[in-house]
């Protein structure tokens, strides 16, 4: 017993110190008025009641939901499409896999700055090329209607991390089943639906869960894009006054949490926001997992 406990001790200590204790502290501080200087003052459910009166939270939550609805499926479909394309290559597949994956290695800040430059209205290469073919390019990151789709394009450009997962799953699908289905007269779509999709469904669920969790925490790209597109550097001890530019269209839930905690010093309310984010991410992930469990296996 002691031998088993000794082997489990490093993992147990890590979970307690770096997960359970911070989580418990966040829950406790969410019921307090806390500014990191004075002693926390217990206020009960006041912070959670304020969630329903917070106009900025309403904007941030809607923007974050938009990213979950559009960015997560777009990245899943983009990764799956890229992986399917790579499986059809007979020569040079290793080179193309590397090329497709490389954007995923780019640092988020550098990648966002590059996209803001490429899509810059008037002088950006993309709008310049569109102008040569008679198309008046949009304002991209400077337009409230195009800023979120521009961030989705950025996510699609770096879809290599999702592509690798799908590629590994597709290469594991038995070729004999595809051949048998083809002999039975199944077309390409029927083979994908009845042969490929059941085999890769665990990876589909995994990418959906990870995509939702990551998008609910969408912070860096939205912050950098807003700062760079507005032409103003981050100010105020790392707290930018340009968060959400233009017109609050890129103002996400984690950005509002950050502003509440580090600009306004309302760490009690910030912890309440963090707890709600954790509960939502956990509930959505659990729902996705439950809906995909095979009843026969579960029994």
């Amino acid at each position: 017993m002691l031998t088993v406990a000794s082997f489990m001790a490093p993992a147990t200590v890590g979970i307690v110190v770096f997960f359970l204790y911070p989580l418990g502290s966040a829950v406790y501080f969410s019921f307090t008025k806390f500014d990191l200087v004075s002693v926390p003052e217990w206020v009960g459910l006041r912070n959670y009641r304020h969630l329903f009166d917070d106009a900025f939270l309403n904007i941030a939550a809607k923007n974050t939901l938009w990213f979950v609805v559009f960015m997560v499926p777009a990245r899943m479909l983009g990764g799956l499409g890229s992986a399917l394309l790579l499986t059809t290559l007979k020569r040079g597949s290793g080179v193309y896999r590397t090329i497709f994956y490389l954007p995923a290695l780019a640092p988020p800040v550098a990648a966002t700055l590059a996209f803001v430059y490429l899509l810059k209205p008037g002088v950006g290469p993309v709008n310049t090329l569109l102008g040569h073919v008679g198309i008046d390019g949009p304002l991209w990151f400077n337009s409230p209607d195009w800023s979120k789709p521009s961030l989705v394009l950025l996510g699609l450009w770096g879809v290599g991390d999702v592509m690798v997962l799908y590629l590994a799953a597709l290469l594991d699908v038995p070729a004999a089943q595809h051949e048998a289905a083809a002999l039975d007269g199944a077309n390409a779509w029927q083979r994908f639906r009845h042969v490929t999709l059941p085999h890769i469904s665990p990876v589909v669920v995994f990418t959906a869960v990870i995509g939702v969790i990551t998008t609910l925490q969408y912070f860096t790209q939205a912050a950098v894009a807003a700062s760079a597109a507005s032409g103003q550097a981050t100010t105020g001890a790392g707290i930018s006054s340009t968060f959400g530019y233009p017109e609050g269209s890129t103002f996400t839930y984690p950005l509002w949490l950050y502003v509440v905690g580090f600009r306004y010093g309302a760490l009690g309310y910030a912890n309440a926001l963090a707890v709600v984010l954790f509960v939502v991410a956990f509930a959505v992930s659990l729902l996705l997992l439950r809906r995909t469990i095979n009843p026969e296996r579960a029994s």
Side-chain angles (χ1 to χ4, degrees), residues 173 177-178 181 186-199:
V173 177
Q177 295 187 13
H178 274 288
N187 57 33
W189 166 247
Q190 291 171 332
R191 293 197 300 272
F192 173 79
R193 180 181 177 183
H194 297 291
V195 178
T196 302
L197 193 57
H199 280 89

Side-chain angles (χ1 to χ4, degrees), residues 245-260:
Y245 177 88
E247 300 180 20
S249 59
T250 59
F251 198 66
T252 62
Y253 191 102
L255 285 175
W256 178 232
L257 191 158
Y258 182 81
V259 169
V260 167

Side-chain angles (χ1 to χ4, degrees), residues 6-69:
S6 65
F7 280 112
M8 294 178 60
T12 303
V13 172
I15 292 173
V16 171
V17 174
F18 297 107
F19 179 73
L20 294 180
Y21 174 73
L23 178 60
S25 299
V27 173
Y28 168 75
F29 287 124
S30 70
F31 294 102
T32 66
K33 180 181 179 181
F34 181 46
D35 58 6
L36 203 62
V37 177
S38 58
V39 177
E41 176 187 350
W42 186 266
V43 296
L45 295 174
R46 183 191 304 174
N47 290 327
Y48 290 96
R49 286 196 295 266
H50 183 56
L51 293 171
F52 300 97
D53 304 322
D54 191 341
F56 289 102
L57 175 60
N58 187 37
I59 296 172
K62 287 181 179 178
N63 287 334
T64 304
L65 179 62
W66 191 98
F67 282 119
V68 170
V69 171

Side-chain angles (χ1 to χ4, degrees), residues 185-243:
N187 57 33
W189 166 247
Q190 291 171 332
R191 293 197 300 272
F192 173 79
R193 180 181 177 183
H194 297 291
V195 178
T196 302
L197 193 57
H199 280 89
I200 68 171
S201 58
V203 177
V204 174
V205 176
F206 176 78
T207 54
V209 171
I210 296 300
V212 169
I213 293 174
T214 303
T215 308
L216 287 174
Q217 303 175 57
Y218 200 65
F219 180 93
T220 303
Q221 292 87 339
V224 174
S227 181
S230 66
Q232 301 180 28
T234 299
T235 59
I239 304 173
S240 177
S241 59
T242 61
F243 281 170

Side-chain angles (χ1 to χ4, degrees), residues 262-282:
F262 295 99
R263 178 184 294 174
Y264 301 132
L267 292 176
Y269 183 50
N271 275 282
L273 291 171
V275 170
V276 171
L277 180 62
F278 171 80
V279 171
V280 171
F282 181 80

